[in-house]
Amino acid sequence: PVLSSPGYFDHNHTLNSTGGGCPWEVSDKARLCRFLCYGSEGDIYTAREEGHVSMENAGALLSLLQEGRGAEVVEEIKKFCQDGRAVGLGPSFFALALCSQHSEVKTRQAAFKALKEVCRDPAHLFSFIQNKKELKEGMKCGIWGRALRKAVSDWYNEQDAMSLAAAVTKCKQREGWSHQDLLRLSHTKPANEAIALISKYVTKGWKEVQVAYSDKENSEEVVKVLSYLEVVEKVKHSCDETEVITLIEEHKLEREQLLTDHLKSKQVWRALLKEMPLQSVLRILGKMTSNKILEPGSPETQAVCDRIQSEAALKKAKIHPFSLLLSSENYKRGQGYQGKTKWEADSSILKAMDSAFYKSFMNVEPVGKRFVVAVDLSTSLSSIVPGTSVSTAVAAAAITMIFARTEADTHVLAYSEGALVPCSVSADMTLAQATVELVKIPGGNTDCTLPITWAAENGKVVDVFIILTNNPLWAFTASPVESLKNHRQKTGANSKLVMCGLTSIGHTIADTEDRGLLNICGFDLGAMSVIRNLAQDLI
């Protein structure tokens, strides 16, 4: 069959609906999708680069708006705001702010209508407003027109009252905006009594709330919100450690709702750890060990270990194996990046993280494509993936394992002196065994076309070729773009090529103008999302 995936032409039509052209041409729509995914329209994704999003990265976005395709842009923004699609949400908030200020009324309406879906929590909303403000900088008019006032009012009024009470006490302000500012500037008229209570609490403070509500007949919902706010206020004024701990445990309070002084107490931290989201726990394990909040053999340490290994907890927090690898290698290292924090890694925590690493594979949803992962590791084992504590060899082994374990059709190859040899990284191996397998084959020059040649010689049809290398030099016997085009023509597959320079700070193949080619510099969890999106034709 010539077409490997159903709807092949439809899909490319959607990404390239500018009419005509080759399906692999990098259209404005494709550039917009790259921008929403990782903040740049080019074909290079640099790991851990949380840059400030600006107009010069958003050329395609502007062209689409000028062509009157604003509603399409808003649909794409909504798509990339779904779980884990984009590396970060900054570009989406920027794009939505731009759409909400466009001259065409349909685009503006679509943008404001999508506000609640795109900005799910207060931090997102503050970021959207700040983007709007920065985009209006040179203009005389303000941003608080009727449409924005209505959209912000609706954002508050459509929340569930108890969730809103928690949100406004946890995330009080960001980027120079607070809830008080937004409620005041949007002239929000509360839709019900409970929202009115929260609005009064935010704008006028607790004392006024007490005066207004003490003698009233209050509805059940208002009573619930009142007692929750009372707890939040009580904690703020409490110097009694036991009382603070009881309130944290009874009402699931979070660290943002406590005073700095409370956070000097070990017992308070132990109480917080019980309900803290697992991802946050993993991030602060070093600090907790260093401050003796988690001590070897203590019941708290045991509880944290049980939680890290709990399949239910891992599933609920959607923890990705690569994310666990980064956390555990960082914890093993025994010191933070910037600060002076040092700790002696606890062996039971390391064991728990190791077991969690293998369990977390269940959180990786298969893409269901045919993959070839080609690995080239030069023998220098000292090389580290920039910004992490992970050696490039271990990172390469982990990435390879993630594909080998979750994608049924994966071939693992290793570069060996100018040729590729099949490598026995199988689904049942441990990370250590997989690393040994990859390292024992001496690498050569990384020739990006070899995997494509290998597929042709072995009669394999491949959707995605992934090359992982810690070699700073790439070699070419032929152009990767041409080889890829030939493979597509011969097999009828939608083949793509991803080149990951694990140590690299930006050596890549020149901008190729082929939508199916991407370069990744360094590696992080975002790189996994980028590969996934490319495989699924989303970018």
Side-chain angles (χ1 to χ4, degrees):
V2 185
L3 295 181
S4 65
S5 63
Y8 167 65
F9 282 123
D10 313 340
H11 181 81
N12 277 309
H13 185 67
T14 55
L15 259 184
N16 294 278
S17 41
T18 40
C22 125
W24 294 100
E25 186 181 40
V26 188
S27 65
D28 278 343
K29 188 80 171 274
R31 284 199 169 91
L32 169 73
C33 292
R34 283 175 180 177
F35 172 75
L36 293 173
C37 177
Y38 53 87
S40 154
E41 296 183 348
D43 58 5
I44 300 172
Y45 167 69
T46 306
R48 303 171 359 274
E49 195 174 62
E50 287 277 314
H52 186 69
V53 184
S54 64
M55 280 296 194
E56 51 256 33
N57 303 340
L61 173 58
L62 290 168
S63 326
L64 290 169
L65 289 178
Q66 276 155 6
E67 286 166 28
R69 292 166 68 187
E72 256 179 272
V73 172
V74 174
E75 282 310 306
E76 288 301 327
I77 296 172
K78 290 192 329 204
K79 203 155 77 184
F80 277 95
C81 283
Q82 291 168 14
D83 274 351
R85 279 269 168 89
V87 175
L89 292 174
S92 295
F93 303 146
F94 173 86
L96 193 69
L98 198 61
C99 292
S100 74
Q101 273 160 227
H102 189 57
S103 54
E104 191 188 47
V105 68
K106 274 206 179 78
T107 303
R108 293 202 302 273
Q109 286 170 341
F112 283 124
K113 201 171 162 198
L115 181 66
K116 183 140 190 272
E117 203 176 318
V118 174
C119 299
R120 301 208 190 134
D121 63 35
H124 296 169
L125 182 63
F126 293 146
S127 174
F128 168 75
I129 301 283
Q130 181 57 18
N131 271 304
K132 278 184 73 68
K133 185 178 174 222
E134 285 171 12
L135 287 166
K136 278 281 197 209
E137 277 299 293
M139 297 156 88
K140 295 262 188 308
C141 56
I143 59 171
W144 289 96
R146 188 183 307 158
L148 179 62
R149 294 202 304 268
K150 181 180 182 316
V152 171
S153 297
D154 290 350
W155 191 92
Y156 283 103
N157 277 327
E158 286 165 14
Q159 304 280 348
D160 158 70
M162 280 305 283
S163 328
L164 184 62
V168 301
T169 52
K170 282 172 195 167
C171 175
K172 300 185 192 93
Q173 56 191 54
R174 289 277 191 291
E175 311 205 22
W177 295 93
S178 68
H179 293 288
Q180 205 175 351
D181 298 330
L182 298 198
L183 288 167
R184 179 173 50 89
L185 290 161
S186 64
H187 305 291
T188 297
K189 291 187 176 55
N192 59 47
E193 288 185 345
I195 305 276
L197 161 60
I198 296 166
S199 170
K200 191 174 198 78
Y201 172 72
V202 167
T203 50
K204 298 284 198 291
W206 179 240
K207 289 222 165 69
E208 295 230 1
V209 167
Q210 280 174 306
V211 173
Y213 286 86
S214 55
D215 307 328
K216 268 170 68 177
E217 279 291 308
N218 296 316
S219 69
E220 199 181 328
E221 177 134 61
V222 168
V223 171
K224 260 169 71 178
V225 173
L226 259 178
S227 59
Y228 180 78
L229 293 175
E230 189 173 357
V231 169
V232 172
E233 285 296 315
K234 197 168 179 182
V235 163
K236 271 200 225 161
H237 299 289
S238 172
C239 304
D240 176 354
E241 187 181 59
T242 327
E243 182 181 40
V244 171
I245 290 164
T246 315
L247 292 171
I248 290 171
E249 287 173 349
E250 276 177 21
H251 302 276
K252 302 195 168 152
L253 298 180
E254 295 182 17
R255 60 198 263 192
E256 292 81 13
Q257 293 165 308
L258 304 182
L259 301 174
T260 321
D261 270 353
H262 295 154
L263 299 177
K264 290 177 184 160
S265 147
K266 289 183 191 176
Q267 293 300 356
V268 165
W269 273 107
R270 286 173 187 149
L272 285 171
L273 277 174
K274 289 181 192 165
E275 288 291 338
M276 190 181 283
L278 192 49
Q279 195 67 63
S280 313
V281 173
L282 292 170
R283 209 175 289 128
I284 61 171
L285 280 171
K287 187 175 146 193
M288 298 292 98
T289 309
S290 161
N291 297 345
K292 305 265 189 298
I293 289 157
L294 293 175
E295 297 195 272
S298 71
E300 290 82 19
T301 303
Q302 191 48 53
V304 165
C305 290
D306 292 345
R307 208 171 143 212
I308 291 173
Q309 297 175 80
S310 141
E311 289 195 10
L314 287 166
K315 211 177 208 117
K316 183 184 169 199
K318 299 184 179 142
I319 307 250
H320 191 284
F322 199 76
S323 167
L324 262 162
L325 174 74
L326 293 174
S327 302
S328 70
E329 291 290 322
N330 189 31
Y331 183 68
K332 208 180 284 176
R333 177 171 172 236
Q335 69 180 81
Y337 288 121
Q338 279 97 22
K340 299 181 179 65
T341 319
K342 285 200 164 75
W343 59 87
E344 189 70 45
D346 183 297
S347 58
S348 62
I349 293 180
L350 283 172
K351 222 182 238 145
M353 287 169 107
D354 189 54
S355 128
F357 172 73
Y358 298 101
K359 287 179 181 167
S360 66
F361 280 88
M362 63 180 177
N363 288 335
V364 185
E365 264 179 58
V367 177
K369 301 282 186 197
R370 295 158 293 191
F371 286 89
V372 161
V373 182
V375 184
D376 179 23
L377 293 174
S378 62
T379 39
S380 75
L381 281 181
S382 57
S383 78
I384 297 278
V385 179
T388 73
S389 316
V390 186
S391 79
T392 48
V394 172
I399 298 159
T400 306
M401 274 173 72
I402 289 168
F403 286 99
R405 281 186 175 219
T406 54
E407 301 296 343
D409 193 336
T410 299
H411 293 280
V412 181
L413 309 170
Y415 280 83
S416 173
E417 288 150 7
L420 279 174
V421 293
C423 184
S424 51
V425 171
S426 58
D428 50 4
M429 274 185 178
T430 65
L431 182 57
Q433 289 166 330
T435 310
V436 168
E437 272 307 307
L438 291 173
V439 171
K440 70 180 186 198
I441 301 166
N445 273 353
T446 313
D447 180 344
C448 301
T449 52
L450 278 184
I452 305 172
T453 318
W454 176 89
E457 286 167 1
N458 291 277
K460 302 282 183 210
V461 180
V462 179
D463 297 312
V464 187
F465 294 96
I466 299 170
I467 298 175
L468 302 170
T469 176
N470 62 3
N471 204 331
L473 299 167
W474 305 85
F476 302 111
T477 44
S479 142
V481 185
E482 289 311 311
S483 315
L484 198 58
K485 278 184 184 153
N486 291 340
H487 186 75
R488 286 173 190 152
Q489 267 160 2
K490 277 191 197 125
T491 60
N494 252 337
S495 310
K496 307 177 180 80
L497 171 64
V498 183
M499 290 159 289
C500 305
L502 297 175
T503 50
S504 65
I505 325 284
H507 61 75
T508 49
I509 287 161
D511 217 5
T512 54
E513 291 308 313
D514 184 305
R515 194 172 58 76
L517 250 96
L518 274 188
N519 295 284
I520 292 178
C521 297
F523 209 88
D524 60 359
L525 192 54
M528 277 290 174
S529 308
V530 171
I531 294 175
R532 214 185 154 77
N533 283 325
L534 185 71
Q536 292 174 311
D537 274 314
L538 290 165
I539 55 174

